[in-house]
Amino acid sequence: MAASSDVHVRICGQEIIKYDLEIKALIQDIRECPGPQSQLIDLNSKVKEKFGQLRLRIQNLEQMAKEQDKEADKLAILGETESHRLQMLSNQTAWRKANLACKLSIDKLEKDELLQGGDTSIRQRKTTKESLARTSSDITESLMSVSRMMAQQVQQSEETISSLATSSRTVLETNEEFKAMTGTIHLGRRLITKYNRRELTDKLLIFLALALFLSTVLYILKKRLFPFL
C-alpha cells in the first residue's frame, strides 16, 4: 500500500512539473506575441486552462500528504506542495506582466500604423482599436480572476505553513516524550541492579549469621557433652 502511494505521489509531482513548464512556454509566447488580438486571446485561454489543471494537481498532492501514515513523509510532501504553490504564484505574476507588455507593444504598433496609413487605414484601425479595447477589458477581467486565485493560493499557503508548524511541534513533543521514557527506563535499570546487589548482600549476611549460630550451638554441645575435651 505504501509503495502504491509513493508511485501516485511521484506521478502527481511529474504532472505538476509538466504543467509548470507548459505555462512558462505559453507566457513566453505571450511576451513575444506581435498580434493580432485573437492570437493573444487564444494564448490567454490556454494559460487559464493549464493553471486550472496545475491547481487541481497541487491540491491532489496536498491531499496525498495528509493521507500519509509517517509524519516525516507527510512533512516532506507538504513542503513539496508549498514549493509548487509558490512557483504557481510566481507564474501568475509573470503572466500578468507578460499581458501588460504585450498590450503596450500592440498599442505602439497600432499608433505607428495609424500615423503611416491613410483615411481608409485609419477607419480600419479604429475598428481594430475597438476590438483592442474589448480584448483589453477581457484581459483586465482575466487579471482580476488571477488576483483572486492568487489570494486563494496565499490563504492555502498560510494553512499549509500552519499545518507544517503544528506537525513540527508534534514531532518535537514526541521526541521529548521518548527522551523522558528513556530516562525512566535507565533509572529503573539502575534501581533493579541496586536491588539485586542488596539481595546478594542480604543472603551473604544471613549465611554468615547462620554459620555463627551453628558454630555457637556446636560449641555449647561440646562443652555439655564432652567437658573433658
Side-chain angles (χ1 to χ4, degrees), residues 105-122:
S105 176
I106 292 176
D107 284 346
K108 184 177 183 301
L109 181 62
E110 292 293 334
K111 289 178 181 179
D112 292 342
E113 290 179 353
L114 283 173
L115 293 174
Q116 295 174 1
D119 293 339
T120 303
S121 178
I122 290 175

Side-chain angles (χ1 to χ4, degrees), residues 50-225:
K50 293 300 178 183
F51 269 124
Q53 294 170 335
L54 176 61
R55 188 178 304 103
L56 179 61
R57 298 310 288 156
I58 290 175
Q59 290 173 352
N60 291 340
L61 185 63
E62 185 175 23
Q63 182 61 35
M64 291 179 192
K66 295 176 181 179
E67 294 173 356
Q68 294 298 310
D69 295 329
K70 295 181 179 178
E71 189 69 20
D73 293 341
K74 176 182 178 181
L75 292 174
I77 299 175
L78 282 175
E80 182 181 351
T81 302
E82 181 61 18
S83 176
H84 288 313
R85 183 171 286 120
L86 292 175
Q87 183 60 49
M88 183 175 68
L89 291 174
S90 175
N91 286 338
Q92 288 172 337
T93 301
W95 180 30
R96 177 167 57 88
K97 291 180 179 179
N99 268 287
L100 292 175
C102 182
K103 181 178 178 301
L104 291 174
S105 176
I106 292 176
D107 284 346
K108 184 177 183 301
L109 181 62
E110 292 293 334
K111 289 178 181 179
D112 292 342
E113 290 179 353
L114 283 173
L115 293 174
Q116 295 174 1
D119 293 339
T120 303
S121 178
I122 290 175
R123 285 194 297 270
Q124 292 176 345
R125 294 303 180 269
K126 283 183 178 179
T127 302
T128 304
K129 195 69 175 181
E130 292 175 356
S131 175
L132 178 61
R134 289 193 298 270
T135 303
S136 177
S137 177
D138 292 338
I139 292 174
T140 301
E141 182 180 354
S142 176
L143 291 176
M144 290 177 65
S145 176
V146 170
S147 297
R148 288 192 295 269
M149 288 188 297
M150 290 178 67
Q152 293 175 355
Q153 295 302 324
V154 169
Q155 183 178 359
Q156 291 180 357
S157 297
E158 291 175 351
E159 293 174 355
T160 300
I161 292 172
S162 177
S163 176
L164 286 170
T166 301
S167 299
S168 298
R169 286 195 298 271
T170 302
V171 171
L172 290 175
E173 291 172 357
T174 303
N175 287 336
E176 291 299 327
E177 290 178 0
F178 280 144
K179 289 179 181 179
M181 290 175 62
T182 302
T184 303
I185 291 172
H186 287 326
L187 178 60
R189 185 178 299 168
R190 287 197 298 270
L191 289 174
I192 290 171
T193 303
K194 179 180 178 181
Y195 289 146
N196 287 337
R197 291 175 181 173
R198 182 65 179 271
E199 183 180 2
L200 179 61
T201 303
D202 291 344
K203 288 181 179 179
L204 182 59
L205 291 175
I206 292 171
F207 176 75
L208 293 174
L210 182 59
L212 180 60
F213 173 75
L214 291 175
S215 298
T216 303
V217 171
L218 290 175
Y219 178 76
I220 293 172
L221 290 175
K222 177 183 176 184
K223 290 296 184 180
R224 294 285 183 90
L225 298 177

